Amino acid sequence: MTAVPPPSSGQELSNPPTDGVSNLRFSNHSDHLLVSSWDKTVRLYDATANVLRGEFSHGSPVLDCCFHDDSSGFSASADNTVRRFVFNSNKEDIIGKHDAPVRCVEYSYAAGQLITGSWDKTLKCWDPRGANGQERTLIGTYQQPERVYSLSLVGNRLVVATAGRHVNVFDLRNMSQPEQRRESSLKYQTRCVRCYPNGTGYALSSVEGRVAMEFFDLSEASQTKKYAFKCHRKSEAGRDIVYPVNAIAFHPIYGTFATGGCDGYVNVWDGNNKKRLYQYSKYPTSIAALSFSRDGHLLAVASSYTFEEGEKLYEPASISPSKNHHEPDAIFVRNVNEIEVKPKPKVYPNPPA
């Protein structure tokens, strides 16, 4: 029997992937949830009804996925391909290829383009409306300083985080060169980058239990607002144990954000007031990915071992209580209460009489 987490974890989706979850995303139009996995599939769920609506098989692990609209989506695969699939007809086609595994895929509604980032150290932009042949869909290839680890879009702005702690900021309307070339303010490898919903900057997380809050505006006034903070850590026997921060997801209404770490915890933060708002009950294993629904009422959580401690057996602790196992990969969808995500108003002392 699988150990049943407390109900506070949320509703566990049935028919989960059979290997690690690489990403999950809610649709911008519904409560449909797209999930990519190392089990070589992309799965489409109705998160509210807890129903698997579709499953698409690839030849290799799928490293990322995103929606185009509610009827189709895209995937990034370790077999170097970028694919599109149409949910209702179960059709799929290859949009194009990189020269190494494709790590990230994002669809820009502002530009009508698909953006992919690969371990071949390039970004590629595609027009998915291009007919008959990959050469017609490819808009451009843009060399990056290192392997691409994470992408994020807000409006026409694209943030690219690569190996070597590089961060490039592009304007999708002029991809010939980055608007800004930056270095991560964190000392260790970048895990995730996500833009603020209001378009003023981005949050970036590292393998060393930290998140940096950055701003696009290079003026001194704006740059004095940037900061970094420690998270997903614990003290044990007088020493600090530090966990990678794998996932960041911004709440679409309040602009607060959730982080997920290899400690199995999801924390919610108010970045403006530099406060933690909430910590959810511990999940069975590492948090691999997070996504808020379009209205912010649901939060999808991938509880999925990310191999930060090397190879482990795939079985629950109740069967194999040794440390050399990992809990089954699972996706939980939780209802979000306003108190968990809404910034608390600042309390000012009463002025002297």
Side-chain angles (χ1 to χ4, degrees), residues 254 268 277-278 280 336-344:
Y254 294 120
V268 183
L277 295 174
Y278 210 82
Y280 294 118
V336 177
N337 294 319
E338 200 172 66
I339 193 171
E340 300 161 2
V341 292
K342 187 176 182 179
K344 293 177 174 61

Side-chain angles (χ1 to χ4, degrees), residues 68-326:
H68 182 197
D69 50 34
D70 239 20
S71 64
S72 62
F74 302 105
S75 66
S77 177
D79 67 4
N80 306 358
T81 62
V82 181
R83 295 169 190 255
R84 168 177 41 204
F85 27 86
V86 180
F87 304 136
N88 293 337
S89 64
N90 273 340
K91 284 184 181 167
E92 64 172 90
D93 61 332
I94 293 177
I95 294 261
K97 291 186 176 181
H98 279 265
D99 294 330
V102 191
R103 178 64 186 87
C104 310
V105 59
E106 293 280 346
Y107 182 72
S108 166
Y109 294 91
Q113 293 178 19
L114 187 70
I115 298 107
T116 55
S118 167
W119 292 340
D120 68 5
K121 305 183 185 180
T122 70
L123 277 182
K124 292 191 177 189
C125 292
W126 316 85
D127 182 350
R129 298 161 298 189
N132 306 325
Q134 295 163 24
E135 65 282 351
R136 295 201 199 168
T137 60
L138 182 63
I139 295 167
T141 302
Y142 310 99
Q143 198 66 37
Q144 299 304 298
E146 251 291 1
R147 288 154 291 157
V148 177
Y149 283 168
S150 188
L151 297 180
S152 187
L153 283 168
V154 61
N156 280 302
R157 208 162 232 156
L158 169 68
V159 180
V160 185
T162 76
R165 299 173 42 251
H166 300 282
V167 179
N168 280 347
V169 181
F170 287 91
D171 184 330
L172 286 175
R173 294 163 298 190
N174 178 16
M175 290 289 294
S176 55
Q177 60 179 30
E179 270 191 323
Q180 298 176 17
R181 288 184 173 88
R182 296 186 174 200
E183 186 178 83
S184 167
S185 55
L186 306 181
K187 288 182 189 172
Y188 295 91
Q189 184 189 91
T190 302
R191 264 290 154 94
C192 182
V193 65
R194 292 291 178 264
C195 293
Y196 307 156
N198 67 7
T200 59
Y202 58 90
L204 179 143
S205 68
S206 81
V207 296
E208 190 250 347
R210 283 180 205 260
V211 172
M213 308 299 289
E214 302 281 351
F215 294 87
F216 294 129
D217 184 349
L218 295 174
S219 70
E220 196 175 334
S222 281
Q223 290 304 307
T224 55
K225 293 191 289 186
K226 73 177 191 178
Y227 67 96
F229 64 94
K230 296 177 183 178
C231 51
H232 298 282
R233 296 161 175 246
K234 69 177 179 182
S235 286
E236 208 171 77
R239 66 193 190 101
D240 249 3
I241 299 176
V242 180
Y243 296 92
V245 184
N246 298 321
I248 303 170
F250 278 89
H251 191 272
I253 310 301
Y254 294 120
T256 51
F257 62 97
T259 57
C262 287
D263 56 354
Y265 282 104
V266 175
N267 295 315
V268 183
W269 308 89
D270 177 352
N272 290 334
N273 294 316
K274 303 184 182 179
K275 282 188 167 58
R276 185 169 75 182
L277 295 174
Y278 210 82
Q279 182 177 73
Y280 294 118
S281 302
K282 189 174 182 180
Y283 283 87
T285 185
S286 312
I287 306 303
L290 296 169
S291 181
F292 282 105
S293 61
R294 69 200 188 288
D295 58 9
H297 286 134
L298 298 175
L299 175 63
V301 180
S303 171
S304 180
Y305 180 56
T306 55
F307 288 79
E308 64 277 3
E309 293 177 354
E311 190 72 47
K312 289 188 176 188
L313 300 172
Y314 179 80
E315 53 192 29
S318 53
I319 295 173
S320 168
S322 77
K323 275 195 162 184
N324 201 33
H325 81 280
H326 73 83

